[in-house]
Amino acid sequence: MAGYYALPLELLAEEFARLPGIGIKTAHRLAYSVISRSDAEVQSFVDALLSAKRDIHFCSCCQNLTELEVCPICSDEERDQTTICVVESPKDVSALERSGEYHGVYHVLHGLISPIDGVTPENLHIRELLSRISKGSIQEVIMATNPTVEGDATAMYLAQFLEPLGVKVTRLAFGLPVGGTLEYADEVTLYKALENRTILH
Amino acid sequence: MAGYYALPLELLAEEFARLPGIGIKTAHRLAYSVISRSDAEVQSFVDALLSAKRDIHFCSCCQNLTELEVCPICSDEERDQTTICVVESPKDVSALERSGEYHGVYHVLHGLISPIDGVTPENLHIRELLSRISKGSIQEVIMATNPTVEGDATAMYLAQFLEPLGVKVTRLAFGLPVGGTLEYADEVTLYKALENRTILH
């Protein structure tokens, strides 16, 4: 892809192609769309990029991404500050908040223990979690890492770690997804659904 | 989607979602990926955006996008400057150049006549085409607009216009795509393939 594209357009397409899930064809389409927009629109895009990169950092309490010193969830006095839900990434906070069912606070690990990928407990924001719990007001820690090998391993590791601190540690329930069918459920999910069956009466 | 995303991240995601074919979920994924990149990488993205918007304009000859006064194709003396291939958009120039089979020059209309969308011949770069042809050195104009209602209409309109100028006007051949099958070809394509059949011996 060279020569017959204007150079600045080609360079912009290459930048778009560096984004995850954007192939070179889509990147060219996006580059074309940018130059057909007004100067003000492009400037607003540029400002958003610079501001996001400059202003976003980790919440000093829960490590979620925020432009504030302490994120709105951590500083919300209406929320249950004695329950911490531990998640892998900021996206998981969004997902749980969308459900509207959780009223405690969060702790974002920014990764999962994964020796194959070279991620050890030291790479995660575990120290900050321990420091929060050691202050004594936390009553329950919910492990809400994904039900994968790494997610389970991280949850187990943390649970062991937290045991001596005398805090209640729970894990999200696993079972059939609502609206799912037995026929299409995998074996492990079915096993978990049976194992964790609840009493109806 | 509000509240639990940091505001600058949300604004950046909204900017990404304005791009064609990018939904709000993908936009959030892209926004996350941007803030996890280095300052230098984000700056290089920003520079590419600004440069593409600032430096790209229409070639004064063929109206293709270029950062130069006259694009490399128009200023290439090795190319046949007596044959003009008329296309809808810069993407069509790229497609034809990829084939490597065309050695003439181009003219980009930046649209097709489409009364429904309010696009009249005055909105296209037809005046510049006429001005090039009126200089007298052009021998053939190839209509390479897409085989759609608008593409055909634009080709017919231009052909009528160019007739009094005494220039040869041709249209790209339509027929079965190479590698295609009769079974899956639509009726109009089959009709065109029959109508434009060539003599083998």
Side-chain angles (χ1 to χ4, degrees):
Chain A
M1 309 279 266
Y4 38 89
Y5 276 114
L7 185 65
L9 198 68
E10 194 63 34
L11 293 177
L12 179 57
E14 277 172 24
E15 288 290 343
F16 273 120
R18 286 206 185 103
L19 296 170
I22 305 284
I24 191 69
K25 276 221 161 187
T26 303
H28 275 106
R29 195 163 45 79
L30 297 180
Y32 271 117
S33 87
V34 165
I35 58 169
S36 65
R37 289 160 78 183
S38 74
D39 281 349
E41 283 173 314
V42 174
Q43 191 58 49
S44 131
F45 189 8
V46 162
D47 291 344
L49 277 167
L50 292 173
S51 153
K53 182 63 195 160
R54 187 184 57 226
D55 301 337
I56 297 224
H57 48 249
F58 297 154
C59 165
S60 63
C61 181
C62 74
Q63 312 297 313
N64 195 4
L65 298 171
T66 179
E67 76 278 27
L68 308 168
E69 167 63 21
V70 176
C71 80
I73 294 177
C74 286
S75 56
D76 185 347
E77 293 184 3
E78 304 254 299
R79 297 189 73 120
D80 174 8
Q81 300 282 344
T82 65
T83 306
I84 295 181
C85 180
V86 176
V87 295
E88 176 188 348
S89 78
K91 287 174 209 173
D92 302 324
V93 174
S94 307
L96 283 162
E97 285 297 288
R98 258 200 305 276
S99 82
E101 287 301 315
Y102 181 65
H103 306 291
V105 291
Y106 295 93
H107 192 86
V108 182
L109 296 174
H110 291 282
L112 294 174
I113 299 171
S114 173
I116 291 178
D117 303 318
V119 182
T120 61
E122 290 76 45
N123 301 122
L124 308 181
H125 292 256
I126 293 175
R127 199 189 318 259
E128 291 87 347
L129 175 63
L130 296 181
S131 137
R132 286 174 78 181
I133 294 168
S134 65
K135 284 178 192 151
S137 63
I138 305 300
Q139 303 193 335
E140 179 176 356
V141 177
I142 305 169
M143 295 297 163
T145 50
N146 288 326
T148 57
V149 173
E150 290 83 7
D152 281 339
T154 307
M156 294 307 289
Y157 175 87
L158 280 175
Q160 278 186 319
F161 230 104
L162 301 181
E163 205 185 355
L165 297 174
V167 68
K168 182 177 167 194
V169 179
T170 55
R171 181 96 172 97
L172 284 190
F174 299 127
L176 289 175
V178 178
T181 56
L182 284 172
E183 188 182 355
Y184 291 110
D186 64 287
E187 294 80 2
V188 184
T189 301
L190 274 180
Y191 169 74
K192 292 274 189 184
L194 272 173
E195 193 186 25
N196 302 322
R197 63 192 181 277
T198 54
I199 295 163
L200 286 182
H201 64 83
Chain B
M1 310 278 264
Y4 37 90
Y5 275 116
L7 186 64
L9 198 68
E10 196 61 35
L11 293 176
L12 179 56
E14 277 171 23
E15 288 290 341
F16 273 119
R18 286 205 184 103
L19 296 170
I22 305 285
I24 191 69
K25 276 220 161 189
T26 304
H28 275 106
R29 196 162 44 79
L30 297 180
Y32 272 117
S33 87
V34 165
I35 57 169
S36 65
R37 289 159 78 182
S38 74
D39 282 348
E41 284 173 313
V42 173
Q43 191 59 50
S44 132
F45 189 11
V46 162
D47 292 343
L49 277 167
L50 292 174
S51 153
K53 183 63 196 160
R54 187 184 56 225
D55 301 337
I56 297 224
H57 47 249
F58 295 155
C59 165
S60 61
C61 181
C62 74
Q63 312 297 313
N64 195 4
L65 298 171
T66 179
E67 76 277 27
L68 309 166
E69 168 63 21
V70 176
C71 80
I73 294 176
C74 286
S75 55
D76 185 346
E77 294 184 2
E78 304 254 299
R79 297 188 74 120
D80 175 8
Q81 299 282 345
T82 66
T83 306
I84 295 181
C85 181
V86 177
V87 294
E88 176 188 347
S89 79
K91 286 174 210 174
D92 303 324
V93 173
S94 306
L96 284 162
E97 286 295 288
R98 260 200 305 275
S99 81
E101 288 300 314
Y102 180 65
H103 306 292
V105 291
Y106 294 93
H107 191 86
V108 181
L109 296 174
H110 291 282
L112 293 173
I113 299 171
S114 172
I116 290 177
D117 302 317
V119 183
T120 61
E122 290 75 46
N123 301 120
L124 308 179
H125 293 254
I126 293 176
R127 200 188 315 260
E128 291 88 347
L129 176 62
L130 297 180
S131 137
R132 285 173 79 180
I133 294 168
S134 65
K135 283 178 190 150
S137 61
I138 305 301
Q139 302 192 336
E140 180 176 354
V141 176
I142 304 169
M143 294 298 163
T145 50
N146 287 326
T148 57
V149 173
E150 291 84 8
D152 281 339
T154 307
M156 295 307 289
Y157 174 87
L158 280 176
Q160 277 185 320
F161 230 102
L162 301 181
E163 205 184 357
L165 298 174
V167 69
K168 183 176 165 191
V169 180
T170 56
R171 181 95 171 96
L172 284 189
F174 298 128
L176 290 174
V178 178
T181 56
L182 284 173
E183 189 182 354
Y184 291 109
D186 64 290
E187 295 78 4
V188 184
T189 301
L190 274 179
Y191 169 74
K192 291 273 189 187
L194 270 172
E195 191 186 27
N196 302 321
R197 63 192 180 277
T198 54
I199 296 164
L200 286 181
H201 65 80

